Amino acid sequence: MEYHEGLKFKDRDENVLKAVDDPVKLIQNKPDNIYSILIVEDEAITALDLKGNLEKSGYHITDIVDNAEDAIKSAKENPPYLVLLDINLKGEKSGISIAEEINLLSIPIVYLTAQTDDATSNEAIETAPYAYVTKPFNKRDLEYTIALAINKSLNNMGQIYKVEDKVKEKNVEMKIEKINVLVIFGGSLILIIAGLLSRNVTWLEWVLFIPSAIMVFLAVASMFKQDPVKEWDVNPFVTLLVPAHNEEFTIRECVDSLANIDYTLNGEKNYELIVINDGSEDNTGEVLNQLKEEHDCLNVVTRVPPRSGKGKGFVLNDGLEISKGSIIAVFDADARVEPDFLNIIIPYLNDDNVQGVQSRIKMYNKDENFLTRMQHVELAGFGNIVRAKDILGKAGFLGGNGQLVKKEAIVNSEGWDGFAITEDLNLSVKLMINGYAIRYCGDTWVYQEAVPTWRQLFRQRSRWAIGNFETLFIYSSKIINSPMPVFRMFGVLEHVAFYGLNMLVFFGFIVFIVNIVAWLGFGHSVFIRMDAPLIVGVISAFGFFPGAFITLSRDRVSLPRTLLDVVGYWVYCFHLIPLFFMTFWQMLTRKERTWAKTVHTGDEEDSDAECIEENIDVGKIEVEK
């Protein structure tokens, strides 16, 4: 949407942007001539009567016109604050026909109307006017309606300013990100060139030893017991939010699963289920309409253009606004849970210092192919690491699917950031910066669909990697200066910096290959020296193995299967190397933020993902029950 330069709302008294209970008071307390009105009316006597009454009330009338062409011309040349627009005008064009053009100038419209038929009324409603005034006019009703329209417009303008400021902030952040990407890439490249020239990369062993030693440390820590949880005296009411965009293949199983959770109070369901259908173009809407007939707890929110398709964070914030629960649970549209899910995980939030909890994630299609199996192992390993961080300092992380957060904490953290690539990680960090703790629950889990192709995997993981880098570059100083405990701070920084060393990992792999070739070809000759103690090299190369073994042992996997999965996962992790370069290239070249959603195909064939622009606009939300 474009906003006309001539309005210059920001130059006006900021006090007018504050909403008041009585809109008439807003008008009475206004600075002189701040609210100008254009009257578009083809009955001269009516127009003059309007002008006289409004001027007595303190309004400034910019012009009186009686046809569509003059109305557009006047609105552009001398933009008013409000247009009083008669539906029936002289000439070929009606008032309704020019409403869209006036809306593009960001000028509120109040229709002047006598009795009209249903077709005309429906056509007028489609243009989203701010209000209606029925002829003949009652002075008090007229004044109140106009004041109400102005108040509503001011609130919308306040939202627009907020978004404009947010966009500026994000543009600055994007520049910071590009600079940091170049610093990391350039710094790594300098170290690599220096190592090649000196033919000595002992420093590389020590650098790679740090994350590997951390992984060993976390693997050991994960073997200890987590802090116990306690039941609530009265279980809190929970809102389940499910964003859905083109999810026709999985949404039925998801809703059926969530709607059959056994979490009650006094014999009634103690939760509500809200599915936000974000501009789906497939049969998601039809499936949801059928499901509403089957599940009383289901509410469907339909986001339509121009509001839809702006990003998952914006979708969740819309759901948050109409939620009734004191705890918000977020699920992806492919989620499936056991009936006792909430009864097991809710006690983790029965602590004033704990504001969020993440459940374990499993893949229900893990046996489809090698890639889906490795994602299952990967998410199990992630869960084990988060378990260790929970034990060390309640520094868990929200993983998008199966996350529960107290509503008050989300509101205090200004909701989900719709501009963030990974809104779950962004919220996690904001919560902990605010001094809150996040726990991990491995006693229950959410099943989701692993992506079955490398193309989809790289698309998904590049989004995750960009989200990590965004958080690292923008929030590092805030994390360090926050009141969070040392172990929690360490856990947060380690998590968001995960992808930063992948270029050096790639170089280490190349050095290893070169030295193997040199040894095979020239006996004991080493082409590039690595003189660190042997234990440092061993831990650097194989530090992730203990964690993988511990993770798989929790699932009671057989020893042969465990060995096969660990070796397979080691091979699978080499995808992080090309992912690093792909991520850096995308961050350097992207011009606007996008949400690349993961496509959920169910049992159907693979299809391409949609790229959704993360901009914001004032639009329309329909809530269905």
Side-chain angles (χ1 to χ4, degrees):
M1 181 180 291
E2 298 178 357
Y3 302 100
H4 200 280
E5 289 286 334
L7 292 177
K8 299 187 182 297
F9 289 118
K10 287 187 176 180
D11 294 338
R12 297 174 173 177
D13 191 339
E14 292 183 359
N15 290 329
V16 302
L17 292 177
K18 297 179 180 178
V20 294
D21 294 333
D22 185 350
V24 176
K25 290 182 180 178
L26 181 74
I27 306 305
Q28 294 171 344
N29 296 328
K30 73 183 186 330
D32 291 340
N33 294 329
I34 195 169
Y35 301 126
S36 55
I37 296 177
L38 168 63
I39 298 175
V40 185
E41 168 62 59
D42 64 355
E43 295 179 3
I45 299 300
T46 301
L48 291 173
D49 185 45
L50 273 172
K51 181 176 184 293
N53 286 329
L54 292 175
E55 286 181 338
K56 288 178 182 179
S57 298
Y59 294 100
H60 170 65
I61 307 304
T62 61
D63 201 357
I64 297 177
V65 296
D66 61 4
N67 62 84
E69 290 76 12
D70 288 344
I72 295 298
K73 181 180 179 182
S74 179
K76 289 181 177 180
E77 292 179 351
N78 188 16
Y81 198 93
L82 184 74
V83 174
L84 291 179
L85 179 60
D86 189 4
I87 288 181
N88 300 307
L89 295 175
K90 291 181 178 179
E92 297 181 359
K93 292 184 178 181
S94 67
I96 295 175
S97 67
I98 64 169
E100 183 175 352
E101 195 167 350
I102 293 177
N103 282 333
L104 289 176
L105 299 174
S106 192
I107 303 174
I109 292 173
V110 171
Y111 277 128
L112 306 176
T113 177
Q115 290 184 342
T116 56
D117 55 49
D118 290 342
T120 303
S121 297
N122 291 333
E123 188 180 357
I125 290 172
E126 288 297 319
T127 64
Y130 274 63
Y132 295 86
V133 178
T134 304
K135 303 176 184 178
F137 308 121
N138 175 287
K139 182 178 179 181
R140 173 62 183 174
D141 290 345
L142 174 66
E143 183 176 284
Y144 191 86
T145 300
I146 292 175
L148 193 66
I150 289 174
N151 193 29
K152 181 179 178 182
S153 175
L154 288 171
N155 287 333
N156 283 346
M157 290 306 301
Q159 293 178 10
I160 291 167
Y161 297 158
K162 184 177 179 180
V163 172
E164 288 176 345
D165 291 340
K166 192 71 173 178
V167 169
K168 291 177 182 177
E169 175 187 328
K170 291 300 177 180
N171 286 338
V172 172
E173 289 182 1
M174 191 172 291
K175 292 178 182 178
I176 294 173
E177 292 165 12
K178 292 179 186 295
I179 293 172
N180 279 278
V181 164
L182 291 173
V183 169
I184 291 178
F185 187 85
S188 299
L189 190 61
I190 290 171
L191 288 173
I192 290 171
I193 293 173
L196 290 174
L197 293 176
S198 64
R199 292 179 58 182
N200 188 325
V201 292
T202 302
W203 58 268
L204 180 61
E205 291 182 278
W206 286 104
V207 169
L208 298 182
F209 170 77
I210 296 173
S212 297
I214 291 172
M215 295 182 71
V216 173
F217 173 72
L218 292 175
V220 174
S222 72
M223 299 175 69
F224 290 87
K225 290 185 177 181
Q226 294 174 269
D227 288 345
V229 298
K230 58 181 179 179
E231 299 292 333
W232 293 75
D233 294 333
V234 178
N235 278 338
F237 189 78
V238 179
T239 295
L240 313 182
L241 294 183
V242 181
H245 176 75
N246 293 343
E247 304 286 4
E248 62 179 338
F249 300 125
T250 61
I251 194 63
R252 172 170 287 280
E253 289 79 3
C254 173
V255 170
D256 285 341
S257 174
L258 296 178
N260 286 298
I261 291 177
D262 183 19
Y263 180 73
T264 61
L265 182 65
N266 299 325
E268 300 289 334
K269 285 186 183 295
N270 198 27
Y271 67 93
E272 63 175 345
L273 172 58
I274 300 176
V275 177
I276 307 103
N277 181 13
D278 189 45
S280 295
E281 298 172 345
D282 61 358
N283 292 321
T284 299
E286 287 78 0
V287 175
L288 288 172
N289 286 334
Q290 297 170 11
L291 289 168
K292 284 191 298 181
E293 302 297 323
E294 302 171 20
H295 302 293
D296 292 337
C297 64
L298 174 61
N299 293 279
V300 177
V301 175
T302 301
R303 302 174 95 244
V304 298
R307 194 180 187 91
S308 63
K310 309 304 180 184
K312 187 176 179 181
F314 295 129
V315 176
L316 290 173
N317 285 330
D318 277 352
L320 182 69
E321 287 209 11
I322 64 170
S323 64
K324 299 176 183 177
S326 60
I327 292 175
I328 307 298
V330 178
F331 298 91
D332 290 339
D334 60 340
R336 301 174 189 176
V337 299
E338 300 294 338
D340 60 358
F341 177 84
L342 288 178
N343 287 313
I344 293 175
I345 199 170
I346 285 295
Y348 282 79
L349 291 170
N350 190 13
D351 184 332
D352 291 340
N353 295 320
V354 175
Q355 301 297 324
V357 58
Q358 174 62 48
S359 68
R360 183 179 171 183
I361 299 174
K362 293 185 177 183
M363 304 298 179
Y364 61 71
N365 63 331
K366 64 181 180 180
D367 296 324
E368 183 174 341
N369 57 38
F370 169 78
L371 197 56
T372 58
R373 178 73 188 182
M374 289 305 102
Q375 289 170 74
H376 177 77
V377 174
E378 178 182 30
L379 268 294
F382 169 78
N384 199 59
I385 289 173
V386 178
R387 170 190 168 90
K389 292 179 179 179
D390 179 9
I391 293 169
L392 292 170
K394 294 185 175 62
F397 279 86
L398 305 174
N401 205 0
Q403 60 172 295
L404 281 78
V405 187
K406 293 177 181 176
K407 183 175 182 178
E408 183 180 9
I410 301 174
V411 173
N412 290 342
S413 300
E414 299 183 344
W416 285 275
D417 187 346
F419 293 91
I421 295 294
T422 48
E423 81 297 327
D424 46 5
L425 176 60
N426 181 277
L427 179 61
S428 301
V429 172
K430 288 194 298 185
L431 288 173
M432 286 188 277
I433 286 175
N434 289 336
Y436 301 141
I438 300 174
R439 297 212 57 186
Y440 172 74
C441 173
D443 300 324
T444 188
W445 41 81
V446 175
Y447 289 99
Q448 69 180 39
E449 182 184 42
V451 295
T453 69
W454 284 103
R455 180 184 180 187
Q456 286 178 297
L457 181 78
F458 274 103
R459 186 184 189 90
Q460 180 191 68
R461 298 314 163 86
S462 64
R463 178 170 64 88
W464 292 6
I466 291 174
N468 271 57
F469 281 123
E470 279 182 351
T471 307
L472 174 65
F473 299 150
I474 302 306
Y475 286 97
S476 289
S477 61
K478 296 178 182 179
I479 293 169
I480 294 171
N481 294 321
S482 72
M484 71 177 73
V486 174
F487 270 120
R488 193 177 302 167
M489 181 186 302
F490 172 82
V492 174
L493 289 172
E494 181 273 332
H495 184 90
V496 298
F498 171 75
Y499 293 97
L501 294 176
N502 281 357
M503 184 173 178
L504 295 181
V505 172
F506 172 68
F507 179 53
F509 177 71
I510 296 299
V511 170
F512 175 76
I513 296 295
V514 169
N515 282 340
I516 289 294
V517 172
W519 182 77
L520 291 174
F522 304 99
H524 294 289
S525 175
V526 175
F527 185 75
I528 300 177
R529 292 169 55 196
M530 304 177 77
D531 297 332
L534 179 61
I535 186 64
V536 172
V538 171
I539 292 178
S540 298
F542 304 105
F544 82 97
F545 279 94
F549 275 107
I550 292 171
T551 296
L552 295 173
S553 69
R554 295 189 188 281
D555 289 343
R556 299 179 182 178
V557 178
S558 66
L559 181 59
R561 178 78 253 186
T562 297
L563 292 173
L564 186 62
D565 282 344
V566 169
V567 173
Y569 185 61
W570 183 76
V571 174
Y572 165 81
C573 283
F574 282 107
H575 83 273
L576 295 172
I577 294 171
L579 178 65
F580 172 86
F581 293 101
M582 178 187 299
T583 300
F584 268 37
W585 176 252
Q586 289 180 357
M587 293 190 75
L588 287 172
T589 57
R590 64 183 181 147
K591 296 181 180 179
E592 57 186 357
R593 296 169 182 268
T594 58
W595 170 38
K597 75 175 289 293
T598 301
V599 174
H600 301 139
T601 59
D603 295 326
E604 301 294 328
E605 295 182 359
D606 180 25
S607 60
D608 291 342
E610 299 276 351
C611 271
I612 310 298
E613 293 182 0
E614 285 192 347
N615 300 318
I616 192 169
D617 205 342
V618 177
K620 175 183 174 186
I621 305 178
E622 298 174 353
V623 183
E624 305 168 4
K625 176 69 177 176

